[in-house]
Amino acid sequence: AIVGMEWMTPTGLQNRAFVISATGDILGHQTKDQITPGGEERNYVPEGTRRMFAVKGVPFGVVVCHEGWRFPETVRWAAVRGAKIVFQPQVTGSDQPGKPVKARVWGQSYYEMAMILRAKENSIYFASVNQAMTHQNSATSLIDPEGNVLQTLPYGQEDLLVADLDLAQATGFYASRYRPEFYPRE
C-alpha cells in the first residue's frame, strides 16, 4: 500500500507517502518535495530526497500529487533508476456541497494528459490514484508505457483499480536516453 499522510519533522510539517509491505512493514516514504505554490507552501516543507522502492523484485517510484504533473523530472528520476512503474497518490478536486458531478470525457483535463506524457516519455507504467470526490479534476488511472489508458475509475466513485501488468513492456527506453551532461548549469 502507498498511504499519504502529514508527518511532523524537526524542520516542519511534510506531505508524505509511506510505502507499506503486504506484511505491514514500512518500506520507506517519499516526501512531496516540489511544493505547490500558494496554499501548500504555507503548510509544508520539503525533505529534499527522492527514493526508490521494490516489492517482489519490481522497482518503482512515488511522486506526490503536483510533482508528477508540473515536475516531470520527478518521474524521470525514478525511471532512469529502473522503475517499471511510478505511483502518484494525489488529491485533486473538491467536495463542495451543492454542485452536481459533471460528466466528463477522460483525458480532457491537464492532469490526465500529463499522466499519459509521464508514462510515454519514460516508457514506464504510471498509476495515478485520486480520492473519490464530488468534483474531481482527474480520475484514478493506469497508463501503459506507450501512453495508452489501460483502466480508469469513474469520477466520484469509490472503487479499487486492479490490473495485471506486463512489466517487460516497461523498458524505460526514453528515460535511459536522458543525457543531463548536455545541459550543464552555468
Side-chain angles (χ1 to χ4, degrees):
I2 300 172
V3 181
M5 63 179 68
E6 294 178 324
W7 194 261
M8 184 53 76
T9 70
T11 60
L13 188 64
Q14 293 178 343
N15 183 349
R16 283 188 177 179
F18 283 88
V19 178
I20 303 170
S21 74
T23 60
D25 296 320
I26 296 175
L27 301 178
H29 69 275
Q30 179 60 60
T31 300
K32 183 176 186 177
D33 287 328
Q34 298 290 343
I35 310 297
T36 309
E40 280 193 342
E41 62 189 359
R42 290 190 308 262
N43 302 316
Y44 298 119
V45 297
E47 182 181 38
T49 302
R50 301 230 58 88
R51 293 177 173 86
M52 286 291 293
F53 304 93
V55 171
K56 295 184 178 182
V58 178
F60 64 93
V62 176
V63 295
V64 181
C65 200
H66 174 80
E67 290 183 317
W69 294 310
R70 299 287 183 186
F71 298 92
E73 64 273 16
T74 61
V75 177
R76 175 65 49 99
W77 185 92
V80 299
R81 286 161 179 79
K84 297 290 184 180
I85 185 168
V86 169
F87 293 95
Q88 180 195 36
Q90 50 141 320
V91 178
T92 309
S94 74
D95 271 327
Q96 293 180 351
K99 294 183 179 180
V101 174
K102 296 179 182 177
R104 295 188 310 193
V105 175
W106 193 95
Q108 291 182 343
S109 76
Y110 161 77
Y111 307 101
E112 293 163 345
M113 289 185 274
M115 291 177 201
I116 291 170
L117 292 174
R118 297 303 86 85
K120 192 169 180 107
E121 69 198 4
N122 291 294
S123 309
I124 62 171
Y125 288 95
F126 190 82
S128 184
V129 181
N130 198 1
Q131 290 185 17
M133 293 176 267
T134 308
H135 304 282
Q136 285 184 228
N137 293 337
S138 66
T140 292
S141 306
L142 177 60
I143 315 299
D144 78 7
E146 292 296 319
N148 300 307
V149 180
L150 294 179
Q151 290 186 34
T152 65
L153 295 180
Y155 302 106
Q157 181 178 320
E158 290 184 22
D159 207 340
L160 180 65
L161 191 153
V162 178
D164 289 322
L165 304 179
D166 178 359
L167 296 177
Q169 288 185 17
T171 63
F173 177 77
Y174 286 108
S176 71
R177 298 190 50 78
Y178 177 56
R179 301 289 180 259
E181 66 272 14
F182 294 154
Y183 310 100
R185 290 185 158 233
E186 294 191 31

